[in-house]
Structures are given as structure tokens and as C-alpha cells.
Amino acid sequence: MDSATVSQVLRRYAPQYLERFGDDMPLQQKKVLQAVTACRTGLLGVVRYACAQCGKSHVMGRSCGNRHCVLCQADKSKAWLAKQEAKLLPCHYFLITFTVPPGVQRVMRSHPRDGYNALFKASSDALKTLATSERHIGTKQPGFFGVLHTWGRDVNYHPHLHYVVAGGGLNDDATAWKPSRPNYYVPDKPLVILFKAKLQEEFKAQGLYDEVDPSEWDRQWILKCKAVGDGRGTLKYLAAYVFRVAVTENRITKCDWHPDIDQAKVTLMVKRSGTEKYRPMPLGVTAFIRRYLQHVLPSGFQKVRHYGFLNGNCAIPFLLILWLVAIANERVMELCRTDVIVAPWVPSLKCQACGGVLICQEILLPNGMRFNVRPPPEIRARGSPVQEGLT
């Protein structure tokens, strides 16, 4: 047995998997397999770079850009984290997690687009409804965003939503901030009951209600609401998952490279429920690919959604909200001291010879078309060795 990466396993065995199960697979899953197995292999074309420092030329296969590709998503989480941290308000935050029982999960797995939309709609409406109550916050304009996860610790199918919720909301005319209690947003039990009722309504509207065993609606549902301070730690936790696929590149520790997919096996490192320790989990390659594909999202589906005053359509300027929160929480001076512009993190490729930044010069597509790329102005201005490679 040898170690392997997810990409290597998929490239080796995806053709056999598609030949056997392709006729019964959703089109989106087949497109994902075709994209991720061709990523950076040259089948999608190549990109020629030159080092801005030493001028050495580098040729790399084009990336597929698919959001389910383990190679293409690694660098995006830092940029997302920087953008979200810039939107944090000077108030306390909560992390609220909505889950559904196994019977409802099975329906969502069969109807992912309708099921996930219903999950977002029911949970967000339940949160907004309870936030309007004067017993809790009394705001018609809360602010929160949700992130959909479809896997659990063992990489099996477990759809759930994490909401990062600002501790409070705006009053009716958006002239003042109404804070929640530091360790209490809305009560858990009424929130679960309301969420369940709204999800039933959404399932009925989507024609999915009759596919759920009636006993699933009667069992106890799990909801977690946790105070998370200023929210920075929670954002760092979520950033690792927003652009991550279910199985990361180096989770496979062993692989039996048998020519027949039915005989090939991999060993994944997973965290079992109730523990923080990674343990090996052996899987047949067929089961591994099936487990990977069950987390493929519908085409164009938004897995991160913003609500209330965090929604992009909100007419209230974010800067106004920021100052209202700072005034209400007596943190104006702190805001004045720390109000800086945070530039987004931009990944850069490095030259293996000298460590200089690689500058894209040319893109060559599989059909033979070529596209020359001009270097950035700062590179052209200082007469870098990159200039020598331009045509």
C-alpha cells in the first residue's frame, strides 16, 4: 500500500466509476468528475509563467476552477476570511447551528436543490420571526449569514447550517441599535419548534413532504446556539470549510492501487463523533468516490447566504450600522483607533529556483488558441527579466 492524494485516486479510478454508474448519475456529478480529474494535467490547456526576479520560464497545467476541486479551492479561504473580518461589528456574536434528522436528510440527498433551499428558508425565517419579539430583541432588521455544510466528521452525508448572528438589530427607523443579551439571542426550544413547522411548510410547497416518514417530525431535533464573543474565532473556523470540499487532498494515508476498482481500497483519516483525535477509516474506492460525490452541490447553488442588514440588497449603509453599534456599546473611541482598510489576501505563485513571484505571460488552450498576458504595471516599470519573454 502507498500513500495517495484525492486527485490521484480520482484520476485513476473515475473512468471505471463513470463506466459503471454514469447512466444513473446526475449530470452535475459527472461534470465534477470530468473537471477535477483533468485539473492541472494539461488536458485543459497550459499556462506559461516567468519569474519576475530571475526570468526563468515555468509551464503549468490550467486549473479547472470547479468549487468541488481539492486543488482549486485551497487559496480562497484566506481572502474570504479577510473580507468577512472587515464586516465585523463591535458587538457580541452567536453561532447557531440547525440540523435535521436522518429521514429528512435522505430526502435532501435525493432533492438537493429544493431540500437545501427549504433548509435555508425555514431556518432564516425562524430566526427573523423570533428576533422581532420584544421579549427577546424586538428588531425587524437583524443581521446574520449562513453557511451550508453537507458532511460530518466521518465525511458521511450530514447537511446542516451554521449561522453567524450579530447580537442585536436595528430599530424600526434604523436610528438606533437594539442589543441582545451577551449570552442569549433567542430561546432554543421555541426556535426548534418554529424551524420544524416552517420546514414542513417548505417541504409541502416543494412537493417533498410525503417523502418524509411522519415519525421524523415527532422526534427530537437538535439545535445549538452558542455565544462566540467578537466572532473572529468563529469566522476562522468557518473559513476552513467555506471553500473546502468534503475530503481534503491529504486525508488519504494509504491506497491499494489495484487495477480493478472493486479491489482497490483507501484509508481515510477521520474524526469520530465525540473525539478530537483522527483515526483511520478503510474504504473501498467505489464507496470513497460515492461518498465524495454525494457532497456535490447543484449548479449555481449559493452555499453562503446573507440576511437582514447584511444582505446585499439592504438600503441601509453598512458604515451607518457600524457607528450605531459602536455608539450603543460605548466603543466609539475603539472604532476610531482601529478603523483601517484591510486589503484582501491575494495568493501568488513562487519560482522554485529563486522564490520570486511568477507572472503569467501566456495561456494556451487545447484547441491551439494562444492568449498573451501583459505583466502588471509595476513589473513593466522596473524592467524585470519578465520583459524578455514578451512577444
Side-chain angles (χ1 to χ4, degrees), residues 265-283:
K265 296 181 180 180
V266 297
T267 299
L268 286 178
M269 297 301 292
V270 300
K271 287 183 180 180
R272 302 292 185 182
S273 180
T275 178
E276 292 298 322
K277 186 176 181 180
Y278 280 95
R279 297 184 182 276
M281 180 179 68
L283 276 176

Side-chain angles (χ1 to χ4, degrees), residues 16-29:
Q16 292 186 50
Y17 189 91
L18 286 169
E19 182 179 0
R20 181 172 303 179
F21 304 107
D23 292 341
D24 299 321
M25 291 171 58
L27 178 61
Q28 182 65 9
Q29 291 187 3

